[in-house]
Amino acid sequence: MATRVRRTTLTLPAAPLGPDNPLPALRGGQDLHRTEIPQDAGLPADMARQIGCAPLRSLLPARMRDGYGRTRRTTDLDALVIENDRLRATVLPGLGGRVYSLHHKPTDRELLYRNPVWQPAAFALNGAWFSGGIEWNIGSTGHTTLSCAPLHAARVPAPDGGEMLRLWEWERLRDLPFQVDLWLPDGSDFLHVGVRIRNPHYHTVPVYWWSNTAVPEDEHTRVLAPAEEAWHFGYERTLRRVPVPHSDGADRTYPLRSEFPADYFYAVPDGARRWIASLDADGRGLVQTSTDTLRGRKLFLWGAGRAGRRWQQWLTEPGTGGYAEIQAGLARTQLEHVPLDAGGEFSWLEAYGPLETDPVAVHGADWGAAREEAAARLAAVLPRTDIDAAYAAWLPYADHEPKESLATGSGWGALEAARAGLDLPGTPFDEATLGAEQEPWLTLLGTGDLPAARPVPGPALVAPAWRDLLESARPGPATDYHLGLAQWHAGDRAQAVRSWERALGQDGGCLPLYCLAVAESVAGETGRAADRYAQACAEAARAAAAPDPGARDWRAVLPALAREAVPALLAAGRTDEAAQLLAGLRQSDQDDGRFRLLTAQVLLAQGRPAAAREIFDAGFEVAGLREGDEVLGDTWYAIAERLVAGGGPVTEQVRAEARSGHPLPERYDYRMRPV
C-alpha cells in the first residue's frame, strides 16, 4: 500500500494562541546562542567562517507571538494523515507543518514524543512554540518564526506512484521559499522527507535549517551517532570540543545523566553515513538518516536537574514523561549559517523510522561497538544506497504541481511573486491567498504609494526591494514609519530615527514614538528612552479611548507598550510613574503574570520588598517566560537581599545570607545553567 493522504481532526487540551503583539519587533530577541569561543578552540575553517555569519539585527518583518496564556480547553486541530500499511504519520499544517505523531503499526509503537497537550511557550524566535514531534526550522539560529503558523499543504504525486504531502511557505526572515515533501513508499517502515530551499534572488543568502525530533526519555534512553567527539554548547554560552560518550565524569549520551540543559553537536566524520538514533532499554527506538547535504547531528537534553524538569512540566502536563531531541542540520552546529548562492538551491532527503538493536551492545561500555551495532542494523533495514536512490527518484517530482490543496498558508509568498514575477515550480504562491495584510503593499506596488494615513498596528516589509519602493513613495506618516522600519532592519539606525521623527512631525501617533523609544534605549539614552515610552503610552491611551471603530486595535497596544515602558521608567529612576502606568491598566492586564512580576519589581524599587515578596508568595505564572530567562530568580533574590539587609547596604555577605535563607522556590526555578 503506497502512501495515502487524508484529513482528520486532532483533539487536545490547548491554550489559545491569541493575537500577535501589535508593536514592531525591532529588537533581535534574547540571543541564547551567543557564544564566546576561545582562540585555541580549534574550529574547522568553514565552521569559523559560518559562526556569527549574518546575525539578525531585528526580528522584522516577523511579529512577536505573545498573546497566548496557560488556560487550556479541549480544542479541535486540523490534521493530515500520511499512511501506508506500516506507518501512520499525523501532521499539523496549521502549526508549522509539525509531524505530531509517527506510529509504527506492526509493533503498535509511537516513535516520537507525542505531547498530550498543546501549550505555547516562548521558545521560537518570535515567541510562541510548542514541544513534541518533528519540527522544521528555517530562518536563523533558534526555533522558526513559523512554529505556530499555517503552511500551504497539498497532495502531490509521489515517485512510487502513490501520494506525497507537500508543505511549503515563504520564510520572511531570509525571504526564501521552501518545501517539505512527505511520503511513505509501499511497504516501507520509513517516512521519507524531501526538503528543498531555493534562493530566487540576485544575491547570496545565509541559510539555516535544522529538523528537530522530540523522542521519549527515561533513565535508560541512549542517543547514538557516528562520532567520537562533539561540540558542547551549554547555557554558560561557551562552545568547546568534548569526547563522546564520556565528558566531565559522565556518559552524556544518556540525557538524564546531565544536570543542566545542553547541546551536543556531533562531529560526524566526512564521508561517514549521516544518522542519529534514540534507543530505549530494550534497544528499540527511532532512527533518523539522510543524504549527506544534511551534515549536522545534535542531541539536545534538558538534564535531570530541577530547572530542566520544571521546563518539561511547563511545556506539557505535569506527571507525563519527558523528552530529549535528536536533530539534523545543514551545518555542524546551530551557531552557523550556510551561504546559498543567487539562483541556487539546497535539497536533500531524510528518513525516519523504527530501529531494533541488541540492547547489550548498544548499552555496553564499548562506544565503538554500540555505534557499529546501530549502524549495522540501520544498514540492514535501510541501506545508504537506498536513501541516495530515493533522493534521485524524488528530485524530478519536487517540481510537480500540487493536485489538491489541503491547507492554506500566508499571502506573503504571493506578494513576493507579484513583486518579482517569480516562477517557482512545485510551490505555487497563488494570488488568491493575498489578503488584508498584503493589501497596503499591493497598493504600493500598483501606485507607488502607501495609503495616506497614520501608521496602524500591523505587518511590515523591510527587505531591500521594499525599502527601495518606500524611498520612492510620496512622504507621509505611514510611509516614513515603514521606511524607518526597513532602515532599522538594515542597520541604518540614524536614518531610521530621522524617518520616525518625520512621521512624528506629521501626526504619526504612537508607533513612531515607540520606535524612537527603542532607538533611545538601544543607544543607552535611559532618560530620553523613558520620555519617549511615557509619550507613546499617553498617545496609545488616547487612541484607545477614541469613539471610532479603530480604537479596538489600540486597546491591545497599551499593555504591550507597558511591558517595555515599565522597565525603562525603572531604569531612569522614575518609579512612581511606573507604578501609575501599571495602576492605569485594565484589571485583566494587571492580573496577568507578566504584570504581577513588573509590579513586584516596582514595589522593590519603591523600597517595599515585603510587599514585593507577597506577590511571589501568592503565586503567579509568566506565560511568555523566554527560554533561558533568569528574571524570576533574579527578582526573587533581589527581594531577599533587601529583606535581609533591612535597609542597609547589599553586601556579598547579605547576598549569601539571602540565598541560603530564601532559596528560590521550585515553581520559579527555570535556570538553565549553573548559578
Side-chain angles (χ1 to χ4, degrees):
M1 168 176 133
T3 305
R4 295 183 305 181
V5 180
R6 59 182 172 85
R7 300 177 189 269
T8 190
T9 299
L10 185 66
T11 302
L12 291 175
L17 184 59
D20 287 351
N21 191 305
L23 301 174
L26 297 179
R27 301 179 190 268
Q30 186 180 14
D31 186 4
L32 291 177
H33 292 85
R34 184 182 72 254
T35 184
E36 296 179 4
I37 301 173
Q39 292 183 349
D40 60 352
L43 300 184
D46 59 339
M47 184 190 294
R49 284 193 304 270
Q50 291 170 178
I51 286 180
C53 171
L56 295 177
R57 295 187 180 96
S58 76
L59 290 176
L60 292 168
R63 301 174 72 187
M64 293 300 296
R65 313 206 78 171
D66 56 8
Y68 56 87
R70 293 191 56 81
T71 301
R72 296 190 285 266
R73 60 174 180 264
T74 302
T75 304
D76 291 337
L77 303 175
D78 291 334
L80 300 169
V81 170
I82 313 163
E83 191 168 16
N84 69 359
D85 55 349
R86 310 285 295 177
L87 281 175
R88 181 172 62 249
T90 304
V91 180
L92 303 176
L95 295 168
R98 184 78 58 98
V99 180
Y100 174 78
S101 167
L102 188 60
H103 183 81
H104 187 235
K105 295 180 181 180
T107 58
D108 194 27
R109 284 195 294 133
E110 174 59 47
L111 301 179
L112 306 177
Y113 169 74
R114 186 174 58 187
N115 199 328
V117 303
W118 191 77
Q119 176 58 61
F123 279 59
L125 288 166
N126 63 334
W129 170 88
F130 63 105
S131 64
I134 307 171
E135 59 176 303
W136 320 110
N137 289 299
I138 182 173
S140 189
T141 302
H143 296 281
T144 178
T145 60
L146 297 169
S147 293
C148 294
L151 304 189
H152 301 284
R155 300 179 199 267
V156 184
D160 63 349
E163 293 180 326
M164 290 192 296
L165 171 62
R166 174 163 298 161
L167 306 166
W168 74 99
E169 234 323 340
W170 188 274
E171 199 284 315
R172 300 182 70 206
L173 291 182
R174 301 299 188 184
D175 270 328
L176 294 177
F178 72 96
Q179 70 188 78
V180 179
D181 289 352
L182 304 101
W183 77 102
L184 295 162
D186 188 11
S188 176
D189 283 314
F190 284 83
L191 173 67
H192 285 45
V193 182
V195 182
R196 180 167 64 166
I197 304 169
R198 287 183 277 189
N199 178 6
H201 306 296
Y202 295 107
H203 56 271
T204 300
V205 177
V207 173
Y208 173 92
W209 181 280
W210 281 79
S211 304
N212 292 7
T213 305
V215 289
E217 164 201 75
D218 62 26
E219 66 271 20
H220 302 295
T221 301
R222 193 178 204 189
V223 172
L224 296 96
E228 295 182 351
E229 290 185 312
W231 296 94
H232 168 268
F233 178 83
Y235 288 79
E236 305 94 330
R237 300 193 175 99
T238 58
L239 185 69
R240 58 190 176 96
R241 194 195 300 261
V242 298
V244 176
H246 291 89
S247 65
D248 298 326
D251 186 336
R252 305 299 175 176
T253 61
Y254 289 89
L256 289 179
R257 294 186 186 176
S258 295
E259 181 179 3
F260 289 96
D263 299 333
Y264 288 91
F265 300 102
Y266 294 112
V268 179
D270 291 341
R273 185 176 187 181
R274 310 285 163 173
W275 61 270
I276 188 168
S278 173
L279 304 175
D280 64 15
D282 298 322
R284 303 194 308 176
L286 174 81
V287 65
Q288 187 272 359
T289 187
S290 72
T291 49
D292 290 351
T293 297
L294 201 66
R295 68 180 304 185
R297 291 299 184 275
K298 170 193 161 184
L299 162 65
F300 167 75
L301 55 88
W302 283 109
R306 188 171 79 162
R309 298 298 96 193
R310 181 74 184 118
W311 273 116
Q312 296 245 30
Q313 294 170 11
W314 184 255
L315 298 171
T316 183
E317 194 71 46
T320 59
Y323 74 95
E325 287 187 3
I326 57 174
Q327 307 180 8
L330 277 176
R332 288 185 180 92
T333 74
Q334 288 173 331
L335 311 178
E336 303 169 68
H337 293 78
V338 182
L340 178 57
D341 292 336
E345 68 176 50
F346 290 137
S347 62
W348 63 89
L349 185 92
E350 304 181 45
Y352 298 80
L355 190 67
E356 296 198 12
T357 64
D358 177 0
V360 175
V362 297
H363 289 287
D366 187 332
W367 174 242
R371 293 187 347 247
E372 289 171 8
E373 165 67 11
R377 295 299 182 106
L378 172 60
V381 295
L382 187 64
R384 186 176 187 178
T385 53
D386 286 6
I387 282 289
D388 293 335
Y391 171 67
W394 165 71
L395 267 182
Y397 286 80
D399 282 347
H400 279 218
E401 295 302 321
K403 295 194 305 180
E404 176 192 352
S405 175
L406 298 172
T408 302
S410 77
W412 297 113
L415 182 66
E416 291 300 325
R419 181 191 61 77
L422 300 177
D423 180 23
L424 296 167
T427 55
F429 292 101
D430 197 297
E431 64 179 15
T433 62
L434 293 165
E437 290 189 325
Q438 291 80 40
E439 188 174 341
W441 304 99
L442 286 170
T443 301
L444 177 61
L445 274 180
T447 68
D449 292 310
L450 278 177
R454 257 187 171 198
V456 296
L461 288 171
V462 295
W466 292 101
R467 176 178 173 175
D468 290 345
L469 288 168
L470 289 165
E471 286 177 336
S472 301
R474 184 185 303 114
T479 299
D480 288 326
Y481 163 70
H482 282 286
L483 177 57
L485 297 181
Q487 291 164 334
W488 180 269
H489 181 69
D492 197 348
R493 301 292 172 85
Q495 287 285 7
V497 168
R498 282 192 281 271
S499 294
W500 292 327
E501 287 174 340
R502 283 198 307 272
L504 191 60
Q506 301 170 81
D507 194 26
C510 170
L511 293 177
L513 278 167
Y514 166 73
C515 293
L516 290 167
V518 173
E520 298 285 12
S521 178
V522 169
E525 297 291 344
T526 306
R528 294 171 65 176
D531 289 340
R532 293 292 198 186
Y533 273 116
Q535 293 165 9
C537 288
E539 182 64 31
R542 281 194 292 272
D548 59 84
R552 191 165 122 192
D553 293 335
W554 292 102
R555 290 185 194 121
V557 172
L558 186 56
L561 263 174
R563 291 200 297 271
E564 296 187 43
V566 168
L569 290 167
L570 291 178
R574 292 157 65 167
T575 308
D576 290 342
E577 284 184 66
Q580 290 169 8
L581 178 55
L582 289 174
L585 296 174
R586 293 173 298 183
Q587 188 61 49
S588 58
D589 292 325
Q590 294 183 42
D591 293 338
D592 183 285
R594 292 170 292 191
F595 288 107
R596 300 301 294 154
L597 175 61
L598 287 172
T599 300
Q601 292 171 339
V602 168
L603 290 168
L604 178 62
Q606 290 177 324
R608 301 169 61 193
R613 175 63 178 265
E614 288 177 3
I615 291 176
F616 274 82
D617 291 343
F620 62 90
E621 290 184 327
V622 180
L625 187 68
R626 289 199 68 81
E627 177 188 11
D629 197 336
E630 298 175 355
V631 63
L632 290 173
D634 290 346
T635 304
W636 170 270
Y637 282 121
I639 293 169
E641 288 163 9
R642 295 310 312 174
L643 288 171
V644 172
V650 178
T651 63
E652 288 305 317
Q653 181 179 350
V654 166
R655 286 201 167 93
E657 291 175 359
R659 290 180 179 273
S660 62
H662 300 262
L664 182 64
E666 182 177 1
R667 68 178 301 173
Y668 300 122
D669 191 354
Y670 294 91
R671 296 170 294 186
M672 299 178 74
R673 59 184 177 132
V675 178

